[in-house]
């Protein structure tokens, strides 16, 4: 199949692109490289068609969907905290881009559109685990935008007969997730800080919990969505079905990195959800999904990757330093 992955140079998108190439599909990537990086695609660069551009630009969107049979819309500007500080860029990269891609896909007659949704849409509703038929209650512009994207995806199934599906990702983590900014996902942030010999910042009491999901599980759900029948715009949780508190997370990461589990306390973040855990019944039913990589194994792989990347970038810096000093000689 010919497939478009928006945000294909990003964290989750690049893993998905690799898997699609491995399955023998022809893959086009649309990415504006705001957070994506070409290096994320280095293993498959020869096999993919790379388009640079903004998903909210109708002309780029139209060029990107030309001739494709399915779209995986992964592009977004992540971070709840960033969206609270500066809502407009999140909105443009979120629902505006999603609607633009949906319109382009409809006009091109693309049959299937899989949308990267978010567990943040549940907000602070009290019941756990979260089931897709429960009410939604977004607490941040990021979450509201993700929910609006879901509504559009559902409407395009209903109004135009496209096969659309929302995958509600629950705190996806893994290699290639950026850990260098305060807006980074907490796992990559904590590992980056621990490996640098620092003390992670914990917002609030650290007892908030998440259903942390290793990236290979999100990729697997997308691959299943490519072949699932009868998609009618529904939303499906993608998670592991277990929740872990930030303090438990920090303890495990401290053990894996050989660092003390000390934390700097900071005030809770506005827009933060307290607890999150998914029910996976619908994912099983609609997609035949079950998580293949558990939390601990995912953490081991993530720590190993970040450790290796730090080592190779510091040896790269040393080499660059050496050659600079040679040149200066
Ligand atoms: C939310 C969504 C998630 C989505 C992500 C995109 C929920 C439940 N989850 O993640 O599905 O993929 O947005 O951005 O809404 N924290 C610290 N110290 C740090 C960084 C974070 O204490 O240095 C805390 C945050 O305040 C939060 C928790 O860690 O309580 C997780 O934060 P983060 O990794 O940013 O993800 P969510 O906002 O939960």
């Amino acid at each position: 199949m010919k497939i478009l992955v928006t945000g294909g140079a990003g964290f989750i998108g690049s893993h998905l692109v690799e898997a699609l190439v491995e399955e023998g599909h022809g893959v086009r990537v649309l990415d504006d490289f705001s957070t994506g990086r070409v290096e994320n695609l280095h293993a498959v660069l020869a096999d993919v068609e790379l388009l640079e551009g903004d998903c909210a630009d109708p002309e780029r969107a139209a060029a990107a969907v030309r001739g494709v049979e399915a779209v995986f819309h992964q592009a977004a500007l992540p971070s709840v905290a960033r969206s609270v500080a500066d809502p407009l860029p999140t909105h443009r990269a979120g629902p505006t881009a999603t609607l633009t891609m949906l319109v382009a896909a409809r006009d091109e007659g693309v049959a299937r559109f899989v949308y990267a949704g978010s567990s943040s849409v549940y907000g602070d509703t009290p019941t756990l685990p979260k089931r897709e038929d429960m009410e939604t209650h977004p607490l941040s512009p990021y979450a509201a935008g993700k929910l609006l994207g879901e509504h559009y995806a559902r409407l395009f199934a209903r109004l135009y007969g496209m096969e659309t599906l929302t995958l509600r990702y629950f705190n996806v983590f893994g290699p290639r997730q950026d850990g260098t900014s305060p807006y980074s996902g907490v796992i990559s942030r904590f590992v980056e800080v621990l490996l640098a010999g620092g003390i992670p910042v914990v917002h609030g009491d650290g007892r908030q919990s998440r259903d942390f999901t290793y990236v290979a599980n999100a990729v697997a759900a997308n691959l299943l969505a490519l072949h699932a029948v009868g998609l009618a715009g529904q939303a499906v949780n993608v998670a592991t079905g277990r929740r872990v508190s930030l303090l438990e997370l920090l303890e495990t990461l401290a053990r894996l990195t050989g660092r003390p589990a000390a934390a700097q306390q900071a005030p809770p973040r506005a827009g933060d959800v307290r607890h999150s855990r998914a029910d996976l019944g619908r994912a099983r039913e609609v997609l035949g999904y079950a998580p293949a990589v558990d939390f601990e194994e995912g953490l081991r792989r993530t720590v190993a990757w970040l450790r290796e990347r730090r080592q190779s970038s510091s040896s790269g810096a040393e080499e660059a330093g050496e050659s600079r000093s040679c040149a200066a000689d």
Side-chain angles (χ1 to χ4, degrees):
M1 259 195 219
K2 181 81 184 167
I3 294 168
L4 171 68
V5 181
T6 70
F11 156 49
I12 302 175
S14 63
H15 286 282
L16 175 58
V17 169
E18 280 180 353
L20 290 168
V21 168
E22 201 160 301
E23 280 205 344
H25 299 290
V27 181
R28 183 181 295 147
V29 164
L30 176 63
D31 204 296
D32 67 358
F33 297 103
S34 54
T35 57
R37 297 151 59 97
V38 181
E39 300 90 275
N40 288 342
L41 291 171
H42 77 96
V44 289
L45 257 189
D47 304 304
V48 302
E49 191 188 335
L50 201 54
L51 273 189
E52 183 164 0
D54 176 359
C55 295
D57 170 352
E59 275 180 27
R60 291 316 272 166
V65 296
R66 205 151 294 142
V68 309
E69 291 153 86
V71 174
F72 288 98
H73 181 47
Q74 305 295 305
L77 193 56
S79 175
V80 164
R82 184 195 336 243
S83 80
V84 171
D86 193 9
L88 279 175
T90 298
H91 188 90
R92 182 179 164 86
T96 304
T98 301
L99 181 58
T100 309
M101 291 309 309
L102 279 164
V103 169
R106 179 203 63 180
D107 293 350
E108 181 67 15
V110 176
R112 190 167 289 239
F113 192 102
V114 180
Y115 165 61
S118 168
S119 61
S120 59
V121 299
Y122 292 109
D124 59 357
T125 51
T127 317
L128 291 172
K130 303 298 185 195
R131 275 199 337 263
E132 296 86 340
D133 58 3
M134 288 174 175
E135 66 166 319
T136 49
H137 191 211
L139 296 176
S140 64
Y142 176 83
K146 280 289 176 188
L147 184 58
L148 186 50
E150 281 194 20
H151 286 307
Y152 282 134
R154 190 165 30 246
L155 280 178
F156 273 62
R158 200 186 165 102
L159 297 174
Y160 311 115
M162 274 170 77
E163 294 204 84
T164 69
L165 180 76
T166 293
L167 297 177
R168 283 185 184 165
Y169 294 158
F170 279 64
N171 289 71
V172 180
F173 71 97
R176 299 189 194 138
Q177 187 172 36
D178 174 47
T180 59
S181 131
Y183 291 144
S184 300
V186 69
I187 292 185
S188 52
R189 183 74 193 139
F190 278 9
V191 177
E192 194 80 47
V193 171
L194 287 167
L195 290 177
I199 299 176
V201 172
V202 169
H203 291 278
D205 62 5
R207 294 185 201 288
Q208 66 265 51
S209 61
R210 296 290 183 270
D211 190 338
F212 292 110
T213 306
Y214 186 66
V215 64
N217 298 319
V219 169
N222 279 282
L223 296 181
L224 291 165
L226 188 57
H227 304 293
V229 288
L231 303 183
Q234 63 271 57
V236 172
N237 291 339
V238 175
T240 60
R242 172 187 161 193
R243 71 188 169 93
V244 173
S245 76
L246 242 55
L247 294 178
E248 289 166 326
L249 169 69
L250 182 55
E251 237 165 68
T252 311
L253 290 178
R255 191 163 35 75
L256 289 174
T257 55
R259 299 277 310 155
Q264 303 180 54
Q265 294 293 319
R269 279 175 165 173
D272 233 23
V273 165
R274 184 70 181 157
H275 297 299
S276 175
R277 177 163 78 86
D279 177 277
L280 295 178
R282 191 185 282 182
R284 235 182 339 263
E285 199 182 298
V286 174
L287 299 175
Y289 166 87
V293 181
D294 69 20
F295 172 67
E296 282 83 7
E297 175 58 21
L299 284 188
R300 275 191 288 277
R301 294 187 196 179
T302 306
V303 170
W305 185 83
L306 279 163
R307 188 174 258 145
E308 199 181 303
R309 203 192 55 168
R310 279 182 66 80
Q311 277 160 3
S312 61
S313 66
S314 68
S315 64
E318 267 169 34
E319 273 168 31
E322 273 165 25
S323 60
R324 263 199 307 278
S325 61
C326 287
D329 288 343

